[in-house]
Structures are given as C-alpha cells and as structure tokens.
Amino acid sequence: TSPAPTAVSHHWELVSRPSGWPVPEDFRLVEVELPALAEGEVRVANAFVSVDPYMRGRMNDTKSYTPPFGLGEPLTGGAVGRVVASRTPDLAVGDLVSHDRGWRDVAQGPAAGFRRVEEVAGLPSSVHLGVLGMTSMTAWVGLLVVARMQPGDTVFVSGAAGAVGSVVGQIARLRGAGRVIGSAGSAAKVALLTERYGFDAAFDYHDGPVVEQLAAAAPDGIDVYFDNVGGEHLEAAVEVFNRGGRAALCGAISVYNATEPPPGPRNLFQVVGKGLTLQGFIVSWYAQEHGAAFAEEVGGWLRSGELTYDETVVQGLDRTVEAFLGMLRGENTGKMVVAV
Ligand code: NDP
C-alpha cells in the first residue's frame, strides 16, 4: 500500500468549559490538514456523527468514568463512515465502519479504532449510532441484565421518546412486560409513546408532579424503573415502587446542566422497607459479554418489523453544536444524529 495524499478535515473543539448550559461560543470548528496515511492506518469519510448526553459530562473538568475533553483538542464521539483510504489489510476502501472519532468530517487513525459494520438493506448507516448501536444496547442491557425485567412486570421509563427510552419501552413490550409506562416532555411525544412505540400509558412530566402522574398511570405500582432523567423522576419511582423493585440508573439528564445539586430524591429510606435495588451501569461494561446477544435479538426485531425507531437528523457538520444543544433541550425524537 502507498500512503494516500494528505487530506483536509474539519473538526469541532471545545474552547471553554461550560458552566451550566453550554453556549455556541464554547465551541469552534477548525480546518486542519491530515498527514499522509501511516502503515496500519485508515482514513474515513464520516457519514453521520452522534451527539449524546454523556458528552456534556466530558465538557466539565471533573473526574468521571471517561476523562474530560481537552480544551483546544478535537472533540470525540460516535460516528459512522466509509473508508476512503487504507494502509491495512483489515479494512478496504468502501468498507462501512463505526468508530469514536466523531465531531469531524474526515477521521484518520490506526485501524484498530475502526470497526467494520454491516450495511442493512433499506436503512441508513446512522442506525449503527442508534437502534443497532450504543444507545439501543444501553436499552437492552439496562432493562434485561441490570434491572432483570421479568414477564408481567410493570415497567416505567423516563426520557421515553429518546434514543434509549423509545427502545426500552419496545423491548419491555416484546419481552412480555405486563404494563409499560413512559414519560416525556411534550404532548406530541406522549402521543408517540402510546401510538407508535406500544406503551400502555404515558404522560408529559411538565403537566404536574411526576409522582402524581406516575401513581395514576400505575395503580398497582411499578416493578422496574429505567431512569434516564434522575431528580424528581427517580424520587417518584422510589415512591411508587412495589416491594422488590429494580431500577437501572442509566442517566440523569435533568441535572447535567444544573449549577446546584438536585433537590432529590429525598425518599431513599424507602429502599430499605421495599427491598429495592437501584443499580447504576455503563453500557461499555456489558458490550463484551452481551453485545452479540443484543445484536441478534434487536436486529431480528428490526428486520421483522416488530421494533421501530426514529431519528432526528440535522444536516451539516457546521450544525453539530446546534444539534447537541437541541438534543439536551428535547428537540429530538429518537436518536439525534448529524448528517455530515
Ligand atoms: P435522548 O435521545 O433521550 O435525548 C435526551 C432527551 O432528554 C431529550 O430529548 C429530552 O426529552 C430529555 N430531557 C432533557 N432535559 C430533561 C429534563 N430536565 N427532564 C426530563 N427529560 C429531559 O438521549 P439518549 O437516549 O442518548 O440518552 C438518554 C439517557 O441515557 C441520558 O441520561 C444519557 O446520559 C443516558 N445514557 C447512559 C448510558 C450508560 O451507559 N449509562 C449510555 C447512553 C445513554 P424530553 O423532550 O422528553 O424532555
């Protein structure tokens, strides 16, 4: 193989750490020249880049399960694209790959960082960022492995019209949940939950105290809670849980931009008398052991039409920050992606 010529890439950088809600001025789009490909490297033209809630945490200078983004360095994140130059026998020009060098149009690096993924007939490659990718695996492992949902359980999902939540509700239904309840942030999303994703009941968390709306939707209590939101939602779930209830604590988006600690949950003592299990998890911990089973089951449901999905696609790399902020505000239904 011979080194491909240099190429131009555009990437986003973080220039200042947001305090509270990020603003466009915290980011800048930079043009760089990529060096000629070294032996063992590939160059990929990204088709879609992902914007995800966890990225907000990486913008803070605090220790977490992933290190903070560096100031003045390219931002990273999930992406899917096509190999345009290769100096490795493992990947050929034209291969579709999934990788973590998002927030840019052209990615380049050692082949080990790029994973070949299948083309799915009739579906855009963005499905590898959502319904066949990380967010959907999060739904599957959180519900089935972490919360150990059993047939007949009453399941409550917050953030239910988003990438993770919309799949949680459908998996619960497909795996025999007795009743599936979701919360989301608008009347249109609430309608979608019952009409398209098969939830039995749904409510808009803006319409009144979550605990009251949840108790009304779950007259016999809940057995499983899939928490994407934290704060008031988690407190409500603890209140409405039946004995032996299990919560998969997946995220707490209601507090990601908060400058003050959240007011709750204030009722954790109920964990004792109800024998509750509240378990946090990070999807990557489960990928090795459960990735194949997830892909087989969810891929099968997708092909058979039993599972559906939505994407909100923002056009243009230059609108990535807009897409990220829009996702944090709830402008997405299903997975938010940027078409490069
Ligand atoms: P979503 O597609 O659900 O997008 C985020 C959604 O959050 C918005 O659409 C918005 O919907 C909702 N939201 C924003 N602010 C609030 C608020 N104050 N209260 C309630 N809802 C709010 O994102 P993902 O599906 O990618 O992620 C969902 C959750 O899962 C996040 O907490 C994320 O951090 C977590 N996650 C965790 C992983 C893990 O390994 N543990 C892996 C992947 C995701 P609405 O209009 O309904 O308000």
Side-chain angles (χ1 to χ4, degrees), residues 91-249:
L91 291 170
V93 169
D95 281 353
L96 189 65
V97 290
S98 161
H99 61 97
D100 71 353
R101 294 179 188 226
W103 292 81
R104 72 197 76 186
D105 52 7
V106 182
Q108 178 168 318
F114 298 81
R115 189 171 58 89
R116 192 190 293 113
V117 290
E118 251 181 77
E119 315 263 353
V120 187
L123 298 183
S125 60
S126 50
V127 291
H128 293 290
L129 302 175
V131 73
L132 290 178
M134 185 274 282
T135 56
S136 201
M137 193 188 303
T138 304
W140 192 93
V141 300
L143 184 69
L144 302 177
V145 182
V146 178
R148 304 183 313 281
M149 189 209 90
Q150 305 299 316
D153 278 349
T154 295
V155 176
F156 173 46
V157 189
S158 56
V164 174
S166 61
V167 175
V168 172
Q170 293 182 81
I171 296 175
R173 164 71 45 251
L174 287 161
R175 281 289 199 106
R179 185 168 172 78
V180 185
I181 301 158
S183 70
S186 70
K189 288 186 181 184
V190 166
L192 201 69
L193 295 184
T194 52
E195 288 162 19
R196 181 165 158 81
Y197 300 136
F199 285 70
D200 298 292
F203 60 86
D204 180 342
Y205 60 85
H206 298 106
D207 285 350
V210 176
V211 67
E212 286 174 19
Q213 298 200 73
L214 178 59
D220 298 322
I222 62 169
D223 305 300
V224 165
Y225 174 44
F226 194 108
D227 188 19
N228 287 316
V229 168
E232 187 192 355
H233 272 84
L234 180 54
E235 183 171 302
V238 167
E239 202 65 31
V240 177
F241 254 134
N242 293 324
R243 187 163 172 190
R246 285 100 53 213
L249 305 191

Side-chain angles (χ1 to χ4, degrees), residues 21 51-54 65 134-135 138 159-165 183-186 189 205-206 226-229 233 249-256 281-284 326-336:
W21 279 85
V51 288
D52 294 85
Y54 78 87
Y65 63 96
M134 185 274 282
T135 56
T138 304
V164 174
S183 70
S186 70
K189 288 186 181 184
Y205 60 85
H206 298 106
F226 194 108
D227 188 19
N228 287 316
V229 168
H233 272 84
L249 305 191
C250 175
I253 197 160
S254 69
V255 304
Y256 292 173
F281 74 102
I282 297 298
V283 61
S284 56
M327 177 277 300
L328 291 175
R329 283 192 295 262
E331 287 166 13
N332 59 309
T333 297
K335 181 78 190 90
M336 180 72 108

Side-chain angles (χ1 to χ4, degrees), residues 57-73:
R58 296 193 69 187
M59 291 169 190
N60 297 334
D61 190 15
T62 47
K63 213 175 159 202
S64 176
Y65 63 96
T66 45
F69 290 129
L71 291 180
E73 289 171 18

Side-chain angles (χ1 to χ4, degrees), residues 225 234-249 264-280:
Y225 174 44
L234 180 54
E235 183 171 302
V238 167
E239 202 65 31
V240 177
F241 254 134
N242 293 324
R243 187 163 172 190
R246 285 100 53 213
L249 305 191
R266 298 163 295 183
N267 55 353
L268 283 182
F269 186 61
Q270 289 192 36
V271 172
V272 177
K274 290 182 175 179
L276 304 179
T277 306
L278 313 183
Q279 188 180 335

